[in-house]
Amino acid sequence: MLELQEKRIVVTGGAGFLGRQVIDQLVKAGAQADKITVPRSSDCDLRDFSNCQKVSAQQDIIIHLGAHVGGIGLNREKPAELFYDNLMMGTQLIHAAYQAGVEKFVCVGTICAYPKFTPVPFREDDLWNGYPEETNAPYGIAKKALLVQLEAYRQQYEFNGIYLLPVNLYGPEDNFNPESSHVIPALIHKVHQAQKKGEKTLPVWGDGSPTREFLYSTDAARGIVMATQHYDEPDPVNLGTNEEVVIKDLVELICELMDFQGEIVWETDKPNGQPRRCLDTQRAKERFGFTAATAFKQGLKNTIDWYRENAD
């Protein structure tokens, strides 16, 4: 087990939604808060290699959560930026960390890396059996390239880098900006706005048929820290719940929890995204003992409660 007490740890994206939870879990696992560094994109652009070198200098562990990321809308609007930014940040940071002698690199990838038509539940061994869903592909492939880099650096330099694949995350403090948010926060925001305006209909993209899997942010953070401490192998590892949720059911549940009485209108001219998503979570359980703990309905309720308190 990797003891965290004296370790100097960098958490890229540490000021973000997942990052704050990861820092909290690191401290619970014994890390010292004053030894955790959080580079901010405003003054430390990781697309610049010299910044990656500064961030990596004299550090023991790097947990790379930093990403340029959003929902279907952003993926369609800015595919080039999503590809370039994520590839450059990740690949340069891994190289700088190797050069600086960092003891362990934890790379958090994306479920978007999986092929569009992957047998459900998604097994890590199927990661390369096809091309990702088109709207996600630039982001997903940029992130997946980092897995190849870590495997190559392990083979040639014995660099200890691990790669985790969390499913869609949700929870309090998520990004609720409708321009760039993922499905759960986008829907919560949409229902709240409809209620504020007294609207009787709720337009939702797609036809409601796709499925998704959702992992509560606290569970995801706990899984990342468990892997940091207990996992040192090259194989990628899924982090999820192994529970498949139909989007139609998700929308109805959010409406029920928020007491929205209006009609849901499916915008079938808008994209559905990937048809199905659900992870095989056996590897995480076997390799480092991780299983999700938060029931989906309770997690949604916590998220809605937080949003309502902070909506303005």
Side-chain angles (χ1 to χ4, degrees):
M1 183 173 106
L2 181 58
E3 296 291 351
L4 302 176
Q5 276 78 351
E6 295 298 320
K7 299 297 184 190
R8 292 156 301 181
I9 305 170
V10 171
V11 182
T12 71
F17 159 56
L18 176 60
R20 288 192 290 271
Q21 300 272 8
V22 167
I23 289 167
D24 188 41
Q25 294 292 325
L26 283 168
V27 172
K28 281 182 180 163
Q32 291 162 244
D34 62 351
K35 290 188 184 289
I36 298 172
T37 304
V38 177
R40 299 300 296 267
S41 56
S42 52
D43 54 23
C44 185
D45 185 344
L46 294 176
R47 294 171 301 180
D48 180 331
F49 184 59
S50 64
N51 285 331
C52 293
Q53 290 175 306
K54 283 177 205 154
V55 161
S56 303
Q58 297 176 321
Q59 298 296 326
D60 300 307
I61 300 166
I62 293 178
I63 300 176
H64 181 45
L65 310 173
H68 184 176
V69 63
I72 289 181
L74 189 71
N75 277 301
R76 293 175 84 201
E77 188 190 338
K78 297 188 171 175
E81 283 180 35
L82 290 171
F83 180 82
Y84 179 83
D85 292 353
N86 288 293
L87 184 68
M88 297 311 286
M89 279 194 286
T91 198
Q92 296 194 121
L93 190 60
I94 290 169
H95 190 67
Y98 148 68
Q99 286 186 325
V102 168
E103 184 180 339
K104 186 162 190 177
F105 193 101
V106 179
C107 187
V108 176
T110 173
I111 193 73
C112 298
Y114 272 100
K116 181 175 182 175
F117 298 106
T118 307
V120 176
F122 295 7
R123 295 174 65 251
E124 294 92 344
D125 294 342
D126 290 329
L127 201 52
W128 297 100
N129 294 345
Y131 195 75
E133 196 276 323
E134 291 76 9
T135 50
N136 294 321
Y139 173 65
I141 289 170
K143 284 294 215 177
K144 189 151 68 163
L146 307 180
L147 169 61
V148 179
Q149 184 179 6
L150 287 172
E151 287 172 340
Y153 278 51
R154 181 183 288 271
Q155 191 182 332
Q156 188 172 343
Y157 305 132
E158 297 181 357
F159 182 62
N160 186 13
I162 64 169
Y163 191 88
L164 306 173
L165 289 151
V167 76
N168 297 42
L169 303 179
Y170 74 103
E173 303 186 5
D174 203 343
N175 167 27
F176 289 87
N177 177 350
E179 300 297 311
S180 56
S181 57
H182 284 104
V183 60
I184 286 178
L187 286 168
I188 292 170
H189 174 81
K190 190 173 262 198
V191 172
H192 180 78
Q193 291 300 313
Q195 286 174 316
K196 246 171 73 167
K197 294 171 186 168
E199 290 168 356
K200 298 287 179 253
T201 58
L202 186 77
V204 182
W205 276 27
D207 62 14
S209 67
T211 66
R212 292 291 179 267
E213 176 181 339
F214 301 100
L215 180 62
Y216 195 60
S217 54
T218 310
D219 284 337
R222 190 169 49 82
I224 289 164
V225 173
M226 287 173 78
T228 302
Q229 290 193 277
H230 300 284
Y231 186 65
D232 293 302
E233 295 170 49
D235 301 329
V237 183
N238 289 333
L239 294 180
T241 62
N242 191 228
E243 289 174 19
E244 200 170 0
V245 179
V246 180
I247 292 295
K248 182 176 179 291
D249 297 341
L250 169 68
V251 175
E252 288 171 359
L253 181 57
I254 288 173
C255 289
E256 178 196 319
L257 290 170
M258 296 183 75
D259 198 29
F260 176 74
Q261 307 291 341
E263 183 196 354
I264 299 161
V265 178
W266 296 100
E267 299 186 307
T268 52
D269 59 324
K270 298 286 200 299
N272 271 328
Q274 191 154 15
R276 289 179 73 189
R277 272 191 197 161
C278 183
L279 297 183
D280 183 316
T281 53
Q282 209 44 41
R283 188 176 283 178
K285 190 176 180 180
E286 288 167 359
R287 306 279 176 100
F288 49 90
F290 172 73
T291 51
T294 309
F296 184 53
K297 193 169 181 178
Q298 185 59 53
L300 267 185
K301 191 177 176 309
N302 297 349
T303 308
I304 290 164
D305 290 348
W306 182 89
Y307 176 75
R308 282 185 157 155
E309 282 170 29
N310 297 276
D312 300 325

